[in-house]
């Protein structure tokens, strides 16, 4: 992420210095800058050399693991920085940590931004969605750069000043919570269609076009059905509970990730239930069902469910904005989520009330979304007819879940890697590259 974002900045014509404790990573980044067009990127090997190479007022973007590594990096850099300089944390950090650091660096006269960056490695290189919050002066110092490196959509770059304090990190956290819901909804739709022996979904996603060169079939089916997570989804659900905001779609997606981690327990449960007489129904679901109608029902249900997921996220943001006095601009949040980021929430812009700044705090309140929901609710009910408890049972009893798709998605946009069901180790695949070459070469790289 850091390397790609630096290359993005350099490609837009802004000279940039880079530093990493691992010297080989500095060398690699400098070499990429040369290979990708003699970009104005310069490597440095000590914090002091790095900081002093930057023109004042300095703006230093750090992309390291959240928590103590951020504090350690700030300590190493701030010793060489001067009043008026700014530190920008581009990681997925807990918003209260950002608010603590704002106060700490202010004692040295430094400015601070907590900036959510969404779009994965590809977005960082070609145009992410950026959510900076904290010092408005710090944002003004780099506004021109951020507006050029961000994803570009028809009504402007996908970046805006979010607000004071940790608001940028909080907005990114909720974005990731919505992302959790999106990924789970897509995997459930995939699961329904897969067990109806429909291969239509294969042509709608890069993941489903990649075959496995290590064995027969598609690569996604060889991925272990255990989904990883970085913590932002958990934080989102915790905040929803603390603010008394209903977020069932996001919470359910988190539950599914927890359950996917119980791989051995699910396999044992599946065996015990099989011995108790439970039969697998999915293979017989196609009997007596109009497949074309069901495929359309799944599409309609997925769209309606996504509206609910986004509404839950917006409602959470509204409540936190009121509590913290952030005065979040919901229209701007919807706009910067149109491109670059993972959730690509283009359909939210269809609401005139939202873009005027009035949050849709319950699905169906807005007349435009109300029509969307009413038109789709019949199909939605045909596809999603389960209560939470039944869904829990159905998940626990299955030895294999569609979590393999969620992990493939995480590997595609964030290079988070995956495990296979047929051999040990961690693997990474360049999904987009090989989806376009579905009959070529070696596609998975063991790490």
């Amino acid at each position: 992420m850091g390397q790609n974002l630096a290359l993005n900045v350099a490609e837009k014509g802004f000279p940039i210095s880079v530093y990493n404790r691992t010297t080989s990573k500095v060398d690699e980044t400098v070499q990429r800058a040369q290979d990708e067009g003699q970009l104005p990127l310069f490597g440095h090997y000590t914090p002091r050399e790095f900081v002093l190479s930057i023109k004042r007022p300095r703006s230093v973007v750090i992309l390291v693991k959240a928590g103590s590594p951020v504090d350690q990096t700030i300590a190493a850099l701030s010793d060489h920085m001067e009043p008026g300089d700014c530190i920008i944390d581009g990681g997925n950090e807990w918003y209260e940590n950002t608010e603590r650091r704002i106060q700490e660096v202010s004692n040295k006269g430094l400015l601070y931004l907590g900036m959510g960056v969404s779009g994965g490695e590809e977005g960082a290189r070609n145009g992410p969605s950026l959510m900076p919050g904290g010092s408005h002066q710090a944002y003004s110092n780099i506004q021109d750069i951020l507006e050029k490196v961000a994803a570009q959509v028809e009504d402007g770059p996908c970046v805006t000043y979010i607000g004071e304090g940790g608001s940028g990190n909080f907005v990114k956290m909720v974005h990731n919570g919505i992302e959790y819901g999106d990924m789970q909804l897509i995997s459930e739709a995939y699961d329904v269609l897969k067990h109806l022996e429909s291969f239509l979904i294969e042509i709608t996603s890069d993941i489903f076009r990649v075959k496995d060169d290590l064995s027969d079939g598609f690569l996604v089916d060889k991925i272990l059905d255990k989904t990883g997570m970085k913590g932002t989804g958990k934080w989102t659900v915790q905040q929803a509970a603390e603010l008394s905001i209903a977020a069932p779609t996001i919470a359910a997606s988190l539950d599914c990730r927890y359950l996917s981690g119980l791989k051995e327990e699910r396999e044992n449960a599946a065996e015990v239930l099989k011995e108790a007489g439970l039969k697998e129904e999915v293979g017989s679901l196609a009997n007596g069902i109009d497949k074309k109608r069901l495929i359309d029902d799944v599409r309609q249900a997925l769209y309606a469910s996504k509206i609910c997921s986004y509404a839950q996220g917006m409602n959470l943001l509204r409540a936190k904005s009121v509590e913290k006095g952030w005065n979040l601009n919901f229209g701007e949040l919807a706009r910067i989520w149109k491109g670059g980021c993972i959730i690509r929430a283009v359909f939210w812009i269809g609401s005139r009330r939202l873009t005027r700044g009035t949050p849709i705090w319950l699905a169906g309140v807005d007349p435009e979304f109300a029509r969307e929901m009413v038109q789709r609710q019949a199909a939605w009910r045909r596809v999603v007819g389960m209560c939470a408890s039944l869904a829990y049972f159905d998940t626990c009893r299955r030895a294999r879940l569609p979590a393999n798709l969620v992990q493939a998605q995480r590997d595609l946009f964030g290079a988070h890697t995956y495990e296979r069901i047929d051999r040990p180790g961690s693997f990474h695949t360049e999904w987009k590259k090989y989806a376009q070459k579905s009959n070529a070469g070696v596609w998975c790289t063991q790490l």
Side-chain angles (χ1 to χ4, degrees):
M1 285 283 289
Q3 183 182 89
N4 279 356
L5 188 61
L7 291 167
N8 186 353
V9 171
E11 187 177 58
K12 300 305 185 295
F14 300 102
I16 184 170
S17 297
V18 298
Y19 162 74
N20 191 289
R21 290 184 304 173
T22 305
T23 58
S24 61
K25 291 187 177 180
V26 176
D27 294 335
E28 177 189 336
T29 306
V30 172
Q31 187 60 53
R32 277 192 63 189
Q34 295 301 305
D35 295 343
E36 296 181 20
Q38 301 290 317
L39 303 179
L41 183 148
F42 308 95
H44 300 278
Y45 299 94
T46 68
R48 183 177 185 277
E49 176 190 350
F50 165 68
V51 170
L52 295 182
S53 72
I54 305 170
K55 182 180 178 180
R56 296 190 63 198
R58 303 178 180 93
S59 296
V60 177
V61 180
I62 59 177
L63 281 143
V64 298
K65 185 178 180 181
S68 59
V70 177
D71 292 310
Q72 294 165 11
T73 303
I74 291 173
L77 296 174
S78 62
D79 284 345
H80 311 290
M81 300 178 74
E82 301 173 74
D85 292 348
C86 175
I87 296 174
I88 304 157
D89 177 15
N92 283 327
E93 184 57 272
W94 175 235
Y95 83 100
E96 289 183 343
N97 284 339
T98 293
E99 296 188 334
R100 168 178 57 81
R101 290 169 186 145
I102 288 174
Q103 295 300 317
E104 291 173 351
V105 302
S106 69
N107 295 329
K108 297 183 178 182
L110 303 180
L111 308 178
Y112 199 90
L113 284 174
M115 183 172 70
V117 180
S118 180
E121 292 184 322
E122 181 183 359
R125 181 64 182 87
N126 301 311
S129 176
L130 302 171
M131 294 153 258
S135 167
H136 191 273
Q137 180 59 54
Y139 175 72
S140 298
N141 291 349
I142 58 168
Q143 182 175 356
D144 185 47
I145 297 175
L146 296 184
E147 288 182 347
K148 286 184 171 58
V149 302
Q152 306 295 313
V153 293
E154 68 275 7
D155 51 358
C158 292
V159 60
T160 191
Y161 175 68
I162 300 298
E164 297 179 355
S167 59
N169 292 118
F170 195 91
V171 167
K172 176 57 164 53
M173 178 197 77
V174 174
H175 165 283
N176 284 20
I178 296 172
E179 175 190 305
Y180 271 48
D182 265 14
M183 294 170 73
Q184 183 61 30
L185 292 170
I186 292 168
S187 72
E188 290 177 7
Y190 145 74
D191 198 38
V192 172
L193 298 183
K194 176 182 173 65
H195 288 102
L196 282 171
E197 300 180 351
S198 168
F199 294 97
L200 291 178
I201 200 166
E202 290 168 13
I203 64 172
T204 67
S205 167
D206 290 328
I207 289 171
F208 292 103
R209 290 200 295 268
V210 178
K211 293 185 177 180
D212 182 23
D213 71 319
L214 301 179
S215 60
D216 294 333
F218 289 92
L219 179 55
V220 68
D221 293 324
K222 305 303 187 300
I223 294 177
L224 184 69
D225 53 321
K226 289 177 66 175
T227 307
M229 65 187 83
K230 292 293 186 179
T232 47
K234 178 180 178 180
W235 294 342
T236 305
V237 173
Q238 288 174 332
Q239 283 291 293
E242 289 182 10
L243 292 165
S244 299
I245 299 298
T249 306
I250 300 172
S253 70
L254 189 65
D255 288 340
C256 287
R257 292 201 182 193
Y258 291 150
L259 289 170
S260 77
L262 302 176
K263 177 65 173 176
E264 183 177 349
E265 291 88 339
R266 286 189 285 107
E267 289 178 335
N268 291 338
E271 188 62 33
V272 170
L273 289 167
K274 181 179 178 181
E275 293 176 359
L278 181 67
K279 296 181 179 179
E280 184 62 61
E281 302 101 337
V282 291
S284 61
L285 281 175
N287 297 330
I289 290 180
D290 184 330
K291 290 187 179 181
K292 290 184 178 180
R293 180 181 178 182
L294 181 60
I295 290 169
D296 186 64
D297 282 351
V298 169
R299 179 176 63 84
Q300 303 283 5
L302 179 59
Y303 186 91
S305 298
K306 282 167 70 73
I307 289 177
C308 286
S309 179
Y310 286 49
Q312 292 162 29
M314 282 294 184
N315 196 24
L316 176 55
L317 288 174
R318 178 188 64 86
K320 196 66 177 182
S321 181
V322 171
E323 179 191 79
K324 300 288 289 185
W326 284 337
N327 194 30
L328 296 181
N329 185 324
F330 299 96
E332 275 291 274
L333 296 186
R335 186 189 64 78
I336 68 170
W337 286 351
K338 288 176 66 176
C341 63
I342 300 301
I343 62 177
R344 305 288 170 89
V346 175
F347 69 81
W348 273 106
I349 300 302
S351 169
R352 290 189 298 273
R353 291 181 62 189
L354 181 59
T355 54
R356 287 201 303 266
T358 302
I360 299 172
W361 55 278
L362 284 176
V365 168
D366 180 81
E368 294 165 46
F369 281 141
R371 286 192 294 272
E372 298 274 11
M373 304 293 278
V374 169
Q375 291 169 2
R376 291 169 170 79
Q377 62 99 18
W380 198 10
R381 294 180 189 282
R382 285 193 294 269
V383 174
V384 188
M386 298 182 295
C387 67
S389 297
L390 179 58
Y392 176 79
F393 172 74
D394 283 341
T395 299
C396 290
R397 70 183 176 83
R398 294 185 59 184
R400 184 162 173 82
L401 299 171
N404 57 310
L405 175 58
V406 176
Q407 194 60 22
Q409 291 170 327
R410 298 181 75 245
D411 186 55
L412 187 153
F413 67 69
H416 293 297
T417 74
Y418 58 86
E419 296 177 74
R420 292 179 60 105
I421 60 176
D422 55 353
R423 60 196 68 212
S426 296
F427 297 81
H428 170 60
T429 293
E430 295 183 41
W431 296 91
K432 286 184 174 292
K433 175 180 177 181
Y434 296 115
Q436 299 170 1
K437 302 177 181 179
S438 56
N439 294 318
V442 176
W443 297 326
C444 54
T445 303
Q446 187 165 14
L447 304 178

